[in-house]
Amino acid sequence: MTVTSTSGIRGVFNSDLLPEDVAEYTRRFVRLLGAGEFLLGRDTRATGPVASRIVTSAVLGMGADLVDYGVIS
């Protein structure tokens, strides 16, 4: 089950939180804040690199800039 709250979205990636869902949430977030510079960090879960690529593609596709910090503790 995907849960949406003020602190973000939660769900099992590629099960109830599909890649296209991540891309759409990202596009809506960029639309809400406007095309500027976004910072991206992730944890060490195995799905992190794929999710990071999806977010990066969606942000850049909206015409915004992105700085990817990779894994952040």
Side-chain angles (χ1 to χ4, degrees):
M1 172 176 71
T2 302
V3 176
T4 304
S5 70
T6 56
S7 62
I9 56 174
R10 303 282 185 270
V12 177
F13 185 74
N14 222 16
S15 176
D16 50 23
L17 182 60
L18 300 174
E20 52 268 23
D21 298 328
V22 174
E24 184 58 26
Y25 277 113
T26 302
R27 286 190 292 270
R28 290 178 184 191
F29 185 71
V30 172
R31 231 177 268 126
L32 178 69
L33 296 180
E37 182 176 79
F38 292 84
L39 309 178
L40 177 63
R42 64 178 184 86
D43 60 23
T44 59
R45 283 179 270 195
T47 55
V50 172
S52 181
R53 285 193 296 274
I54 293 167
V55 170
T56 297
S57 178
V59 169
L60 297 177
M62 294 292 293
D65 295 322
L66 181 120
V67 178
D68 186 351
Y69 285 98
V71 175
I72 297 178
S73 60

